[in-house]
Amino acid sequence: MIPKIILGNGPQATRRTIGYLFGKGRANEHVDPHLVAFWNGFAPDPGRSPHRDPKEVEAQLAAQLDQPVRMLGDKAPKYTVWHCPVRAAPEDPILADDQWATIARRIVAAAGIAPDRDEEACRWVAVRHADDPIHIAATLVRQDGRRPQRDYDQRAVQREARQIEVDHGLRRLKPGDGTAAKRPTSKEHFKAKRLGQDATSRAILRLRVRRAMAAASTEAEFFALLEATGVTVRLKVGPSGDALGCNFALPGDTNDKGEPVFYAGSTLAGDLSLPQIRKRLATTTPEPATVRPGNPWHQATAATERIPNHLIRSSDQVVQGQLAALGAAFDLLPLTAPTTVRAELERAAVAFERATRSRTAADHASACVLRRSVQAIWKEPARHGDGAGLAMLLDVGLTAVAYAMHWHRIRRHAQQQAAAEQTLIHLEAAYAQIAGPVLAGLASRSPGQRIRRRYAHHLQQAVPEHAERILDDPAWDALATVLAEAEAAGHTPTAILDRALSWRTLDDAHSPARALTWRIRRLGERHAPSPRAQAANAHHAAGRPAAPRPQEPQTRRP
C-alpha cells in the first residue's frame, strides 16, 4: 500500500482538488467516483446525488471543507489542502467501501489531520473512483481555527500503511528509511506518456547525471558529458560568483510557457547535489601520466573482488564508498556491453542504485581504483575482446551484490536489501548471456585427457572439499583450457591454481569451476615469473599460514 502526500495552495485549491477527484481523470481513469468516508455524517456526495447538478454538489462540498480556512482570512496558512492518494498493489484483493473507509480514518489519524475522537479536527473526505486507490483530501485548518499537528506526517502515514497491510492481509512493502529518491508525480507520468518517453524526465535525468558523474574525472568533464547527452545545466551562483548548486533539464521538456523544466540535483537523488558531486569527483582525479596502466578489466575485477572483505571488516563509511563505486560501475557497464545485454544491465543499475543509498557519509577515496578502472573501460569501449573481461567482472560483481544484500539484511535496511535481491536477478541474466559463449569457446579448445587428469589430480589434493563439484561442473573443460594456456605462457599450473584458490573461498560460488576460470584467465595474462621467483614463491607459500576467509552470508549467491 503506497500513500503519498501532496500539498495544495491558492484560493481555489480545495475546489480544484474536489473537481479533479470527481472528474474523469487525466486519462478517463475515474470510474464511479464517490465518497467512502468523511469528517461528519452528512457531507454532500457529488457521486451519489443523481437529482442534482454534480458541479453544484462539488462546489457545496468544497465550500464546507473550506469553511475553517475562510474564517481565518489573511491569517490562513500558505498551504491549505492536504491530498493523500492511497493505492493498493495490483495483486491485492479488491477492498469494499467500508474497508477503505476504515483505512482512510486510520491514515488521517496517523497524519494528525483528524486524531481519533477529536471533534474539532480538520475536515476531510475520502473519494474512491477505481478498484485499487482512494484519495483523501483535507483542509489544513482545524474547526477550532488552529493548525493540525502533522509533524513528519509522511513518515507517520508510511508506518501506518505498513500496519494496515498486516491487518488487511495486503502485500507487505518494505519499510523505508527516508533515503529513497523522490518518486515522479502522476503529472510527470502523464507528461512522459504524452511525449512518448519510456520514463519520466526525472528518471531520465537521474540516469544521465549519474552516468556523467561515474564517467567524469573532473568537474569540467562532468558538465561536458552532460552537454554531450543533451542535458541543459543551470548553475546556482552565490554572491561570490561561485557555483553553489545546479539544476538539470532535458531538451524538449518544457512547461506551458515553453520554458525548460529544471530539476535540482538534490531532488533527483541525495548524492546528485553539486556539493556531493564535487566530493565524489575529488577522489577520481586522473592518475599521473607516468603510471603505466594495466588491463582495466582485470583492475576492475580485482577491486570488485575485494568488496566482500570490505563489507565484513571495514567501517560503514568505507562500505558505503565501496557500494557507491560498485553502483557507478553498474551505471557505466551498459554503455560498454553488447546490445544483447544492455537492457538487463540497465535494469541492474537502476535497481542497485537504491541499494547504495544510506545516511552514512561515504569514504569515496577507498574505492578510487574501481572507479578509475571502470572509467578506463568506458573510454576504450573497443577493448571487449571475446567478452571474457565483462564476464569476469560480472562474476565477481554477483558475489559482491550478494554480500551487499547480506550486509543490508543484518542492519535491517529492508529496501536496500530488496534492491540488491532484484539486482542479482538482472545481473545473473546478463551474465548467462555473456559468459555462455565465452565458456563454450574455451571448452572447445580443452586439452587432452592426460593433461586434464594431471590438473584434476592437483585439484583433489589442493581443495578436496570442492574437487568433486569443480570436476562435475559444466565449466570444467573451460577451466582446463585456461590452465593449459597459462602453462604454455610459462606459468606453473599447480602454482597458478594454488594462487587462484587462495584469493577467495569458493563456498559462495554458484559455479566454482567458472569462478576459477576467470581468476586463472586474469593470472595467466600476466608475465610468468622466472624459475627463481617461482621457487621463492613456493617456499614462501609453504611456510605461511592460510589467509583468513571472510565470513559467508547466510544465502548463497544465485
Side-chain angles (χ1 to χ4, degrees), residues 434-459:
I434 290 294
V438 178
L439 293 170
L442 291 172
S444 68
R445 307 193 302 272
S446 185
Q449 286 296 331
R450 184 178 62 83
I451 297 176
R452 287 154 55 88
R453 282 196 298 270
R454 177 158 54 90
Y455 296 156
H457 176 70
H458 182 70
L459 274 169

mmCIF file of all heavy atoms in Angstrom, residues 434-459:
data_model
loop_
_atom_site.group_PDB
_atom_site.id
_atom_site.type_symbol
_atom_site.label_atom_id
_atom_site.label_comp_id
_atom_site.label_asym_id
_atom_site.label_seq_id
_atom_site.Cartn_x
_atom_site.Cartn_y
_atom_site.Cartn_z
ATOM 1 N N ILE A 434 26.464 -13.426 -21.447
ATOM 2 C CA ILE A 434 27.842 -13.067 -21.772
ATOM 3 C C ILE A 434 28.773 -14.257 -21.593
ATOM 4 O O ILE A 434 29.628 -14.558 -22.442
ATOM 5 C CB ILE A 434 28.304 -11.891 -20.892
ATOM 6 C CG1 ILE A 434 27.583 -10.604 -21.309
ATOM 7 C CG2 ILE A 434 29.810 -11.702 -20.977
ATOM 8 C CD1 ILE A 434 27.953 -10.115 -22.695
ATOM 9 N N ALA A 435 28.641 -14.937 -20.458
ATOM 10 C CA ALA A 435 29.596 -15.988 -20.119
ATOM 11 C C ALA A 435 29.415 -17.243 -20.963
ATOM 12 O O ALA A 435 30.406 -17.927 -21.266
ATOM 13 C CB ALA A 435 29.474 -16.343 -18.639
ATOM 14 N N GLY A 436 28.194 -17.554 -21.339
ATOM 15 C CA GLY A 436 27.935 -18.788 -22.083
ATOM 16 C C GLY A 436 28.800 -18.952 -23.321
ATOM 17 O O GLY A 436 29.528 -19.950 -23.458
ATOM 18 N N PRO A 437 28.770 -17.999 -24.265
ATOM 19 C CA PRO A 437 29.602 -18.142 -25.471
ATOM 20 C C PRO A 437 31.100 -18.170 -25.175
ATOM 21 O O PRO A 437 31.854 -18.896 -25.838
ATOM 22 C CB PRO A 437 29.226 -16.899 -26.299
ATOM 23 C CG PRO A 437 27.882 -16.493 -25.797
ATOM 24 C CD PRO A 437 27.889 -16.827 -24.341
ATOM 25 N N VAL A 438 31.559 -17.382 -24.176
ATOM 26 C CA VAL A 438 32.982 -17.368 -23.851
ATOM 27 C C VAL A 438 33.421 -18.726 -23.314
ATOM 28 O O VAL A 438 34.444 -19.288 -23.734
ATOM 29 C CB VAL A 438 33.289 -16.257 -22.828
ATOM 30 C CG1 VAL A 438 34.770 -16.267 -22.456
ATOM 31 C CG2 VAL A 438 32.902 -14.898 -23.377
ATOM 32 N N LEU A 439 32.645 -19.276 -22.387
ATOM 33 C CA LEU A 439 32.993 -20.581 -21.817
ATOM 34 C C LEU A 439 32.921 -21.683 -22.867
ATOM 35 O O LEU A 439 33.750 -22.605 -22.868
ATOM 36 C CB LEU A 439 32.060 -20.901 -20.649
ATOM 37 C CG LEU A 439 32.222 -20.007 -19.413
ATOM 38 C CD1 LEU A 439 31.088 -20.245 -18.432
ATOM 39 C CD2 LEU A 439 33.565 -20.262 -18.739
ATOM 40 N N ALA A 440 31.929 -21.587 -23.767
ATOM 41 C CA ALA A 440 31.834 -22.591 -24.827
ATOM 42 C C ALA A 440 33.049 -22.537 -25.742
ATOM 43 O O ALA A 440 33.576 -23.581 -26.171
ATOM 44 C CB ALA A 440 30.551 -22.369 -25.633
ATOM 45 N N GLY A 441 33.523 -21.319 -26.049
ATOM 46 C CA GLY A 441 34.712 -21.178 -26.885
ATOM 47 C C GLY A 441 35.941 -21.756 -26.219
ATOM 48 O O GLY A 441 36.774 -22.415 -26.864
ATOM 49 N N LEU A 442 36.082 -21.529 -24.904
ATOM 50 C CA LEU A 442 37.214 -22.096 -24.178
ATOM 51 C C LEU A 442 37.118 -23.620 -24.122
ATOM 52 O O LEU A 442 38.117 -24.328 -24.311
ATOM 53 C CB LEU A 442 37.258 -21.518 -22.760
ATOM 54 C CG LEU A 442 37.629 -20.039 -22.623
ATOM 55 C CD1 LEU A 442 37.431 -19.559 -21.191
ATOM 56 C CD2 LEU A 442 39.072 -19.799 -23.064
ATOM 57 N N ALA A 443 35.923 -24.126 -23.849
ATOM 58 C CA ALA A 443 35.751 -25.578 -23.742
ATOM 59 C C ALA A 443 36.083 -26.283 -25.049
ATOM 60 O O ALA A 443 36.565 -27.426 -25.047
ATOM 61 C CB ALA A 443 34.319 -25.893 -23.312
ATOM 62 N N SER A 444 35.848 -25.627 -26.173
ATOM 63 C CA SER A 444 36.132 -26.250 -27.469
ATOM 64 C C SER A 444 37.629 -26.455 -27.685
ATOM 65 O O SER A 444 38.031 -27.227 -28.560
ATOM 66 C CB SER A 444 35.550 -25.391 -28.598
ATOM 67 O OG SER A 444 36.248 -24.143 -28.700
ATOM 68 N N ARG A 445 38.479 -25.771 -26.897
ATOM 69 C CA ARG A 445 39.930 -25.910 -27.015
ATOM 70 C C ARG A 445 40.518 -26.668 -25.833
ATOM 71 O O ARG A 445 41.707 -26.564 -25.536
ATOM 72 C CB ARG A 445 40.586 -24.524 -27.104
ATOM 73 C CG ARG A 445 40.020 -23.610 -28.187
ATOM 74 C CD ARG A 445 40.911 -22.401 -28.427
ATOM 75 N NE ARG A 445 41.131 -21.589 -27.251
ATOM 76 C CZ ARG A 445 40.353 -20.593 -26.858
ATOM 77 N NH1 ARG A 445 39.247 -20.309 -27.552
ATOM 78 N NH2 ARG A 445 40.634 -19.879 -25.780
ATOM 79 N N SER A 446 39.700 -27.433 -25.144
ATOM 80 C CA SER A 446 40.140 -28.135 -23.944
ATOM 81 C C SER A 446 41.271 -29.116 -24.275
ATOM 82 O O SER A 446 41.251 -29.778 -25.320
ATOM 83 C CB SER A 446 38.973 -28.895 -23.321
ATOM 84 O OG SER A 446 39.348 -29.489 -22.096
ATOM 85 N N PRO A 447 42.302 -29.236 -23.399
ATOM 86 C CA PRO A 447 43.423 -30.135 -23.676
ATOM 87 C C PRO A 447 43.021 -31.605 -23.586
ATOM 88 O O PRO A 447 41.900 -31.940 -23.197
ATOM 89 C CB PRO A 447 44.442 -29.765 -22.597
ATOM 90 C CG PRO A 447 43.609 -29.237 -21.474
ATOM 91 C CD PRO A 447 42.466 -28.528 -22.126
ATOM 92 N N GLY A 448 43.951 -32.484 -23.892
ATOM 93 C CA GLY A 448 43.676 -33.910 -23.891
ATOM 94 C C GLY A 448 43.469 -34.483 -22.502
ATOM 95 O O GLY A 448 43.713 -33.824 -21.479
ATOM 96 N N GLN A 449 43.048 -35.751 -22.473
ATOM 97 C CA GLN A 449 42.694 -36.393 -21.213
ATOM 98 C C GLN A 449 43.881 -36.476 -20.251
ATOM 99 O O GLN A 449 43.714 -36.320 -19.045
ATOM 100 C CB GLN A 449 42.156 -37.798 -21.505
ATOM 101 C CG GLN A 449 40.759 -37.823 -22.102
ATOM 102 C CD GLN A 449 39.719 -37.278 -21.136
ATOM 103 O OE1 GLN A 449 39.875 -37.367 -19.918
ATOM 104 N NE2 GLN A 449 38.665 -36.687 -21.688
ATOM 105 N N ARG A 450 45.100 -36.752 -20.751
ATOM 106 C CA ARG A 450 46.246 -36.884 -19.862
ATOM 107 C C ARG A 450 46.507 -35.598 -19.093
ATOM 108 O O ARG A 450 46.738 -35.618 -17.879
ATOM 109 C CB ARG A 450 47.476 -37.285 -20.677
ATOM 110 C CG ARG A 450 48.726 -37.552 -19.827
ATOM 111 C CD ARG A 450 49.886 -37.987 -20.709
ATOM 112 N NE ARG A 450 50.246 -36.949 -21.662
ATOM 113 C CZ ARG A 450 51.043 -35.917 -21.382
ATOM 114 N NH1 ARG A 450 51.540 -35.780 -20.159
ATOM 115 N NH2 ARG A 450 51.334 -35.019 -22.315
ATOM 116 N N ILE A 451 46.455 -34.467 -19.821
ATOM 117 C CA ILE A 451 46.675 -33.174 -19.162
ATOM 118 C C ILE A 451 45.533 -32.863 -18.204
ATOM 119 O O ILE A 451 45.767 -32.374 -17.088
ATOM 120 C CB ILE A 451 46.827 -32.064 -20.216
ATOM 121 C CG1 ILE A 451 48.069 -32.326 -21.075
ATOM 122 C CG2 ILE A 451 46.908 -30.693 -19.557
ATOM 123 C CD1 ILE A 451 48.254 -31.351 -22.205
ATOM 124 N N ARG A 452 44.338 -33.177 -18.598
ATOM 125 C CA ARG A 452 43.174 -32.909 -17.738
ATOM 126 C C ARG A 452 43.260 -33.720 -16.449
ATOM 127 O O ARG A 452 42.908 -33.233 -15.368
ATOM 128 C CB ARG A 452 41.882 -33.217 -18.488
ATOM 129 C CG ARG A 452 41.549 -32.183 -19.562
ATOM 130 C CD ARG A 452 40.681 -32.803 -20.667
ATOM 131 N NE ARG A 452 39.475 -33.407 -20.121
ATOM 132 C CZ ARG A 452 38.337 -32.755 -19.918
ATOM 133 N NH1 ARG A 452 38.270 -31.474 -20.227
ATOM 134 N NH2 ARG A 452 37.287 -33.362 -19.445
ATOM 135 N N ARG A 453 43.740 -34.992 -16.557
ATOM 136 C CA ARG A 453 43.874 -35.824 -15.358
ATOM 137 C C ARG A 453 44.921 -35.233 -14.409
ATOM 138 O O ARG A 453 44.771 -35.282 -13.190
ATOM 139 C CB ARG A 453 44.245 -37.255 -15.742
ATOM 140 C CG ARG A 453 43.064 -38.080 -16.258
ATOM 141 C CD ARG A 453 43.395 -39.559 -16.253
ATOM 142 N NE ARG A 453 44.513 -39.883 -17.142
ATOM 143 C CZ ARG A 453 44.357 -40.205 -18.423
ATOM 144 N NH1 ARG A 453 43.130 -40.270 -18.954
ATOM 145 N NH2 ARG A 453 45.412 -40.489 -19.171
ATOM 146 N N ARG A 454 45.976 -34.670 -14.992
ATOM 147 C CA ARG A 454 47.012 -34.046 -14.159
ATOM 148 C C ARG A 454 46.442 -32.857 -13.378
ATOM 149 O O ARG A 454 46.697 -32.697 -12.175
ATOM 150 C CB ARG A 454 48.173 -33.610 -15.049
ATOM 151 C CG ARG A 454 49.291 -32.884 -14.319
ATOM 152 C CD ARG A 454 50.602 -32.956 -15.097
ATOM 153 N NE ARG A 454 50.468 -32.488 -16.458
ATOM 154 C CZ ARG A 454 50.656 -31.224 -16.833
ATOM 155 N NH1 ARG A 454 50.954 -30.309 -15.918
ATOM 156 N NH2 ARG A 454 50.557 -30.877 -18.095
ATOM 157 N N TYR A 455 45.660 -32.025 -14.066
ATOM 158 C CA TYR A 455 45.036 -30.891 -13.394
ATOM 159 C C TYR A 455 44.031 -31.359 -12.332
ATOM 160 O O TYR A 455 43.948 -30.801 -11.230
ATOM 161 C CB TYR A 455 44.325 -29.992 -14.405
ATOM 162 C CG TYR A 455 45.236 -29.337 -15.423
ATOM 163 C CD1 TYR A 455 44.737 -28.929 -16.666
ATOM 164 C CD2 TYR A 455 46.588 -29.129 -15.163
ATOM 165 C CE1 TYR A 455 45.564 -28.324 -17.611
ATOM 166 C CE2 TYR A 455 47.416 -28.530 -16.089
ATOM 167 C CZ TYR A 455 46.896 -28.140 -17.321
ATOM 168 O OH TYR A 455 47.722 -27.551 -18.256
ATOM 169 N N ALA A 456 43.267 -32.393 -12.673
ATOM 170 C CA ALA A 456 42.273 -32.910 -11.728
ATOM 171 C C ALA A 456 42.947 -33.465 -10.471
ATOM 172 O O ALA A 456 42.444 -33.296 -9.351
ATOM 173 C CB ALA A 456 41.429 -33.990 -12.403
ATOM 174 N N HIS A 457 44.083 -34.129 -10.656
ATOM 175 C CA HIS A 457 44.797 -34.688 -9.503
ATOM 176 C C HIS A 457 45.226 -33.578 -8.544
ATOM 177 O O HIS A 457 45.091 -33.708 -7.312
ATOM 178 C CB HIS A 457 46.025 -35.468 -9.997
ATOM 179 C CG HIS A 457 46.878 -36.001 -8.883
ATOM 180 N ND1 HIS A 457 46.471 -37.028 -8.056
ATOM 181 C CD2 HIS A 457 48.134 -35.629 -8.448
ATOM 182 C CE1 HIS A 457 47.421 -37.271 -7.155
ATOM 183 N NE2 HIS A 457 48.444 -36.428 -7.378
ATOM 184 N N HIS A 458 45.733 -32.489 -9.094
ATOM 185 C CA HIS A 458 46.144 -31.402 -8.210
ATOM 186 C C HIS A 458 44.943 -30.773 -7.499
ATOM 187 O O HIS A 458 45.039 -30.411 -6.316
ATOM 188 C CB HIS A 458 46.905 -30.325 -8.992
ATOM 189 C CG HIS A 458 47.392 -29.222 -8.101
ATOM 190 N ND1 HIS A 458 48.401 -29.385 -7.187
ATOM 191 C CD2 HIS A 458 46.963 -27.934 -7.956
ATOM 192 C CE1 HIS A 458 48.603 -28.264 -6.522
ATOM 193 N NE2 HIS A 458 47.746 -27.365 -6.973
ATOM 194 N N LEU A 459 43.840 -30.632 -8.198
ATOM 195 C CA LEU A 459 42.635 -30.097 -7.561
ATOM 196 C C LEU A 459 42.203 -30.953 -6.379
ATOM 197 O O LEU A 459 41.841 -30.446 -5.315
ATOM 198 C CB LEU A 459 41.492 -30.016 -8.583
ATOM 199 C CG LEU A 459 41.407 -28.763 -9.445
ATOM 200 C CD1 LEU A 459 40.398 -28.965 -10.562
ATOM 201 C CD2 LEU A 459 41.019 -27.564 -8.599
#
